[in-house]
Amino acid sequence: MTDLFAAARALVEPSKGLLAADESTPTAAKRLAAYGIASSPELRRQFRDLFLSMEGVERYLSGVILYEETFAQKGSDGKLFPDSLEARGIAPGIKVDEGTEPFPGSAEELITKGLVGLPERLAAFKKGGAVFTKWRAVIRIEGDALPTAAAVLENAKRLASYAKEAQVAGLVPIVEPEVLLAGKHSRARSQAVIQETLATLFSALAAQGVDLGGLLLKTAMARSGDASAHKDASEEVAAATLEALVASVPREVAGIVFLSGGESPDEATANLAAITREARRVEAPWPLTFSYARALQEEALALWKGKAENVEAARAAFRARLEKVQAALVSSP
Ligand code: 5MM
């Protein structure tokens, strides 16, 4: 377990964070299509290479969450992506959930699958160089009706089973119960749902005997829904987020990383800076950092357009965003 503790702590080392490059094939196709780029195994390889092979990326990233297709592909240096990352001191991670399916108990909610055959898949990824893993559940807010307690509980139980299996396999689990941004809900409702979801998750993790010192939490920020008329200030998001986390996350957890959830790159950066300041103010016990996909990649994708001649400009935009997000981690009042 000592190795897992060290690996988990290294992922949240000061001034560095995670790139979530683990979009499944359908999600990657959607992200590429938004910028007029076709999706094929080779174009998805180039999409990953744009970010993973950027010179000096190790100054910003402690780890990268990969998708299974990318895990078996090679970068422009001719090395398998996990080997190439490892050689530059970046921990390779792997998304091991297999997406969602309708929850039988509630037709409008989703449950994450992937427990069947999980030990074998974890062993194979460990052999291939993975240091950590991730499993994402999605929690939808709809007025006071959703989420249902049953869907939150079932997702929490599966997250906990996955986390236990990951630790048995010698891999750090990242548990990601994503409370979605979509909807008209208030910031207070988001805060309450995040708090309840995390409290349920940490009860399930305790029931499975998961060691929290070798685990990271990936969470959304507490904020008004994207269809709400209210626009939160970053300081409001930070206060609500820290209140929810302090009320529900045990201090033994190795670290907390944030998803961007559809926030713009500037919003996700400003909110992270405010969260960093608020965490210092309330003396939060865990290291905090980013684990963004869209907020780190969007600007570069818009410039790249799938063309080799645009790689340099796209990487410059990626580097500029990483600089800003890194600065947010050491932001002063
Ligand atoms: C919420 O999604 C995670 C973080 O991404 P954003 O910063 O864009 O919100 C991300 O790791 C996500 O889990 C992966 O992109 C995989 O998503 P799919 O939908 O392909 O499973």
Side-chain angles (χ1 to χ4, degrees), residues 20-28 31 65 95 97 99 134 136 176 178 218 258-262 291-295:
D22 63 326
E23 297 90 349
S24 57
T25 300
T27 305
R31 301 276 183 265
I65 315 172
K95 162 194 169 79
D97 66 72
K134 195 203 79 174
R136 170 172 170 254
E176 181 187 11
E178 180 185 1
K218 178 161 173 169
F258 292 94
L259 57 91
S260 58
S291 174
Y292 295 162
R294 283 165 284 183

Side-chain angles (χ1 to χ4, degrees), residues 173-222:
I174 297 184
V175 288
E176 181 187 11
E178 180 185 1
V179 174
L180 297 173
L181 193 61
K184 292 183 178 164
H185 52 270
S186 66
R187 183 174 70 253
R189 176 78 177 131
S190 164
Q191 179 181 336
V193 171
I194 289 176
Q195 189 172 316
E196 183 56 33
T197 299
L198 295 183
T200 306
L201 173 60
F202 283 100
S203 295
L205 288 165
Q208 283 283 352
V210 173
D211 200 322
L212 300 183
L215 167 140
L216 299 181
L217 168 68
K218 178 161 173 169
T219 181
M221 300 169 186

Side-chain angles (χ1 to χ4, degrees), residues 69-94:
E69 178 185 63
T70 320
F71 201 85
Q73 288 179 322
K74 289 179 180 169
S76 49
D77 60 0
K79 292 183 186 159
L80 287 167
F81 280 119
D83 296 344
S84 172
L85 290 170
E86 198 267 328
R88 286 172 289 153
I90 302 173
I94 180 79

Side-chain angles (χ1 to χ4, degrees), residues 97-102 110-113 136-138 155:
D97 66 72
E98 295 184 321
T100 55
E101 60 190 356
L110 298 170
I111 194 82
T112 300
K113 57 187 177 175
R136 170 172 170 254
V138 291
N155 270 310

Side-chain angles (χ1 to χ4, degrees), residues 48-58 60 88 314-316 318-320 322:
R48 308 306 190 179
D49 194 59
L50 181 64
F51 301 104
L52 305 185
S53 298
M54 186 183 81
E55 191 269 320
V57 73
E58 65 277 7
Y60 312 95
R88 286 172 289 153
R315 283 190 175 148
F318 179 46
R319 188 185 305 280
L322 284 167

